[in-house]
């Protein structure tokens, strides 16, 4: 056992930073294994409140609250990566934080993330840093259009992004204003047929397991569906994508579930972004795999043996329920193979992830 290995036995308390649906589903897996769950969140409540026995409601800048949280739990993990580095550093000083602070720092910043993955021989879309309107002009001259301007930090579900279809000065003015004149990265537009993700879990002993890679469809920048098995042309790229993901996990000495999103490019997998956590494209593993991403995340973080990631049926599909789609729960449940998950959110705002539905296809895709 290395110095950093720590077994956290069932009966202990797992601290989760963030109280959204990912915290709720990590927490449900943790509770099933006999753990208690304590959430730290800047919000007063959230989807994870229904399963947590403790909830610290405080801003990330509140060192006293962070210290109290760290003292109340036996291990700390995240459902959300956009936590200020000062809070992560303090938690890392006070307790066992998994995944580690370096990983969070890398995944929080699109530029760092891309250069890190490029540095371990992962292919990315062409990109250039943009920290001013003048730099945007230089970047467009280099990368060309169409292109996507993305803020380096705090972007998710297509937020903090704008597409540039041409290099007219007004287009650049509008794009720069649209992202709030924040530090950004300009990415060349990738021509791809499919998007897919690699979801892995790495234990404290360095052992890595992969779930089947789902084919992901996004609508308006938000994940809509994830399906396994992915089309054959995607499956052909999975070994290379897995090798990249494993190198990332090893280089970061990662512990827990890690997700990398890729475009299926003509010449191979093109890395888009990574999430140092359980991921929406892995929700199907709750019913579709022997061990879900949530349970294996808990097992890894607590130093328990990892469970099998094998599929339990030939095919599985997951559909997100966005906004008022969640109101259709009655017709969803009319399908006997459907597993409905609702996150307990009270207000069905447009674009908000309210739940998801997983369907097990006993006879393969379409069955
Ligand atoms: P992201 O937040 O980076 O995952 O972007 C959200 C979605 O926008 C992706 O899943 C893609 O569907 C699309 N997208 C992002 N970057 C690119 C790109 N460089 N080329 C083409 N499509 C992209």
């Amino acid at each position: 056992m290395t110095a950093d290995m720590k077994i956290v036995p069932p009966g202990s308390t797992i601290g989760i930073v963030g109280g959204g649906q990912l915290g709720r589903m990590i927490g449900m897996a943790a509770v099933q294994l006999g753990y208690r769950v304590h959430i730290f969140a800047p919000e007063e409540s959230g989807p994870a409140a229904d399963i947590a026995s403790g909830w610290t409601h405080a801003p990330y800048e509140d060192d006293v609250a962070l210290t109290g949280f760290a003292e109340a739990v036996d291990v700390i993990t995240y459902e959300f990566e956009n936590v200020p580095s000062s809070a992560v550093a303090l938690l890392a000083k006070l307790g066992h934080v998994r995944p580690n602070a370096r990983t969070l720092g890398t995944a929080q910043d699109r530029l760092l993330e891309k250069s890190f993955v490029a540095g371990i021989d992962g292919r990315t879309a062409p990109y250039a840093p943009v920290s001013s309107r003048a730099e945007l002009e230089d970047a467009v001259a280099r990368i060309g259009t169409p292109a996507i301007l993305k803020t380096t930090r705090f972007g998710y579900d297509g937020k903090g992004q704008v597409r540039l279809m041409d290099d007219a000065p007004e287009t650049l003015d509008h794009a720069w204003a649209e992202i709030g004149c924040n530090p950004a990265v300009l990415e060349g537009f990738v021509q791809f047929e499919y998007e897919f993700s690699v979801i892995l879990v790495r234990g404290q002993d360095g052992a890595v397991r992969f779930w089947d890679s789902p084919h992901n469809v996004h609508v308006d920048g938000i994940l809509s569906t994830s399906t396994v098995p992915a089309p054959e042309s995607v499956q052909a790229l999975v070994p290379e994508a897995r090798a990249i993901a494993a190198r990332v996990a090893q280089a970061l000495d990662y512990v827990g579930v890690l997700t990398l999103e890729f475009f299926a490019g003509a010449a191979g997998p093109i890395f888009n972004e990574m999430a140092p956590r359980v991921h929406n494209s892995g929700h199907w593993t709750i019913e579709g795999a022997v061990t879900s991403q949530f349970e294996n995340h808990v097992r890894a973080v607590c130093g328990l043996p990892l469970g099998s990631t094998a599929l339990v049926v030939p095919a599985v599909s997951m559909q997100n329920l966005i906004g008022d789609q969640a109101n259709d729960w009655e017709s969803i449940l009319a399908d006997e193979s459907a597993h409905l998950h609702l996150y307990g959110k009270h207000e069905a705002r447009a674009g908000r992830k309210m739940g998801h539905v997983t369907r097990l296809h006993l006879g393969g895709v379409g069955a």
Side-chain angles (χ1 to χ4, degrees):
M1 210 189 269
T2 68
D4 197 39
M5 284 179 82
K6 183 182 181 227
I7 309 288
V8 181
S12 309
T13 301
I14 301 178
I16 304 176
V17 179
Q21 63 266 22
L22 299 180
R24 177 184 177 99
M25 289 184 275
I26 296 170
M28 285 163 79
V31 167
Q32 181 180 318
L33 283 166
Y35 292 96
R36 293 164 72 81
V37 171
H38 187 125
I39 303 287
F40 184 102
E43 298 84 24
E44 211 171 320
S45 187
D50 296 336
I51 52 85
S53 50
W55 186 287
T56 301
H57 165 217
Y60 293 121
E61 293 71 29
D62 186 338
D63 287 357
V64 175
L66 286 168
T67 305
F69 168 71
E71 283 169 355
V73 303
D74 299 294
V75 66
I76 298 169
T77 191
Y78 299 85
E79 64 123 38
F80 172 72
E81 61 270 37
N82 289 322
V83 181
S85 53
S86 57
V88 180
L90 179 61
L91 291 176
K93 215 166 67 184
L94 298 170
H96 282 264
V97 175
R98 294 180 179 128
N100 58 34
R102 182 176 165 220
T103 305
L104 249 71
T106 308
Q108 279 176 355
D109 185 305
R110 282 191 192 272
L111 262 177
L112 259 183
E113 183 179 281
K114 280 184 197 300
S115 59
F116 176 76
V117 172
I120 54 150
D121 286 338
R123 205 180 289 106
T124 67
Y127 68 92
V130 173
S131 54
S132 66
R133 170 66 176 77
E135 263 185 36
L136 175 58
E137 204 153 319
D138 295 346
V140 170
R142 255 195 294 155
I143 306 279
T145 55
I148 306 191
L149 186 64
K150 302 179 179 179
T151 54
T152 52
R153 302 176 81 86
F154 304 122
Y156 68 97
D157 286 349
K159 295 188 176 71
Q161 301 194 3
V162 51
R163 290 185 185 201
L164 284 86
M165 301 313 288
D166 59 66
D167 60 358
E170 315 76 75
T171 307
L172 273 52
D173 284 342
H174 170 260
W176 183 236
E178 187 76 358
I179 61 152
C181 310
N182 284 307
V185 50
L186 185 75
E187 272 181 42
F189 202 82
V190 177
Q191 299 300 333
F192 60 84
E193 202 180 344
Y194 297 112
E195 292 185 70
F196 68 101
S197 47
V198 170
I199 310 163
L200 66 78
V201 60
R202 187 170 184 270
Q204 292 185 27
D205 59 357
V208 171
R209 292 182 187 196
F210 299 94
W211 282 270
D212 283 59
S213 272
H215 160 217
N216 303 324
V217 175
H218 292 81
V219 176
D220 298 332
I222 304 178
L223 184 68
S224 174
T225 60
S226 292
T227 310
V228 288
E232 270 171 32
S233 61
V234 169
Q235 289 187 48
L237 305 183
V238 167
E240 189 182 338
R242 284 185 172 180
I244 294 166
R247 288 202 294 277
V248 169
Q250 189 175 357
L252 293 169
D253 195 17
Y254 196 87
V255 172
V257 169
L258 172 71
T259 309
L260 271 73
E261 292 184 80
F262 291 92
F263 303 119
I270 298 170
F271 169 79
N272 178 26
E273 62 177 359
M274 71 185 204
R277 53 169 168 77
V278 292
H279 193 258
N280 196 169
S281 66
H283 288 2
W284 62 269
T285 61
I286 296 176
E287 293 90 7
V290 173
T291 315
S292 76
Q293 60 165 351
F294 301 103
E295 180 170 342
N296 261 346
H297 184 72
V298 171
R299 290 191 192 206
V301 161
C302 293
L304 310 187
L306 300 179
S308 163
T309 50
L311 274 176
V312 295
V313 284
V316 192
S317 59
M318 187 286 309
Q319 182 199 346
N320 268 338
L321 300 173
I322 312 280
D324 54 19
Q325 286 175 344
N327 297 340
D328 287 339
W329 57 268
E330 257 182 301
S331 61
I332 291 166
L333 290 176
D335 172 356
E336 288 183 359
S337 76
H339 289 271
L340 176 67
H341 297 251
L342 294 175
Y343 305 147
K345 295 181 182 177
H346 300 302
E347 207 191 328
R349 284 196 297 273
R352 195 172 195 209
K353 291 175 179 171
M354 302 298 293
H356 70 268
V357 50
T358 303
R359 293 189 174 87
L360 302 182
H361 305 279
L362 305 179
V365 185

